[in-house]
């Protein structure tokens, strides 16, 4: 599966490690950043979200220090459902219930192992539909 991943400086190291950990499972498009030099998270969240919303990629991954800045930016985009995940069970539920198309992770608050488990949960879980479809149909304004 081809997916897009991006981070700011706070998420750079985790982004690089996740690309290596999942190199055999995903064809990653790297939307930056490309070093630990300080950058502004909206400059990475918005381009990635536009590309996911345009169906260029089925899913995206955004990583910053807390995850909140990335999630706030991504969720400004119509048809983007970005979920901030700090535990594998939340990643599972954000797919089952919210049909999330962007996984957001807080690099400063989770270990690399937890991030791997979150990615496993997110990408191995399908949307349940049913009553959840009705709810996500009400998200766009
Ligand atoms: C960068 O210091 C930090 O503010 C950013 O990574 C993120 O946590 C913002 O929400």
């Amino acid at each position: 599966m081809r997916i897009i991943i991006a981070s700011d400086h706070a998420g750079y190291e985790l982004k690089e490690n996740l690309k290596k950990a999942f190199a055999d499972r995903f064809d990653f498009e790297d939307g930056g950043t490309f070093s630990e030099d300080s950058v502004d998270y909206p400059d990475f969240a918005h381009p990635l979200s536009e590309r996911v919303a345009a169906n260029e990629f089925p899913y995206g991954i955004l990583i910053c220090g807390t995850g909140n800045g990335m999630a706030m930016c991504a969720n400004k985009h119509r048809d983007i459902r970005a979920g901030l995940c700090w535990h594998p069970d939340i990643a599972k539920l954000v797919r089952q219930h919210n049909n999330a198309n962007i996984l957001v992770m807080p690099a400063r608050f989770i270990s690399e192992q937890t991030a791997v488990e979150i990615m496993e949960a997110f990408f191995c879980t399908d949307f349940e539909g049913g009553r959840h479809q009705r709810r996500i149909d009400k998200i766009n304004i």
Side-chain angles (χ1 to χ4, degrees):
M1 185 191 292
R2 195 162 169 260
I3 61 171
I4 183 165
I5 187 167
S7 73
D8 71 355
H9 53 287
Y12 172 73
E13 185 181 359
L14 181 58
K15 171 171 71 72
E16 294 304 304
N17 291 339
L18 288 173
K19 283 192 320 187
K20 283 183 207 139
F22 287 92
D24 55 343
R25 290 257 305 271
F26 298 108
D27 178 10
F28 287 102
E29 166 94 359
D30 192 338
T33 189
F34 299 106
S35 78
E36 289 185 336
D37 294 347
S38 183
V39 291
D40 299 334
Y41 55 81
D43 295 339
F44 300 88
H46 287 309
L48 180 145
S49 301
E50 280 170 11
R51 296 178 78 180
V52 174
N55 291 316
E56 194 179 333
F57 299 91
Y59 300 103
I61 300 173
L62 287 169
I63 308 168
C64 66
T66 63
N68 275 317
M70 289 296 198
M72 288 177 189
C73 294
N75 282 316
K76 294 283 185 192
H77 294 255
R78 189 171 183 84
D79 297 327
I80 289 299
R81 294 173 301 280
L84 174 54
C85 298
W86 60 94
H87 189 284
D89 290 347
I90 293 178
K92 189 173 168 187
L93 285 164
V94 86
R95 289 286 310 125
Q96 285 178 336
H97 290 191
N98 310 112
N99 200 14
N101 49 12
I102 294 184
L103 167 62
V104 187
M105 287 183 281
R108 289 182 173 149
F109 295 89
I110 56 173
S111 66
E112 185 184 330
Q113 180 56 33
T114 298
V116 166
E117 289 169 16
I118 286 169
M119 272 190 63
E120 298 276 6
F122 187 91
F123 287 102
C124 290
T125 307
D126 292 327
F127 179 49
E128 283 182 353
R131 68 188 187 282
H132 301 297
Q133 182 64 53
R134 183 181 72 242
R135 292 166 185 165
I136 69 165
D137 285 345
K138 296 180 179 180
I139 292 176
N140 279 333
I141 53 171

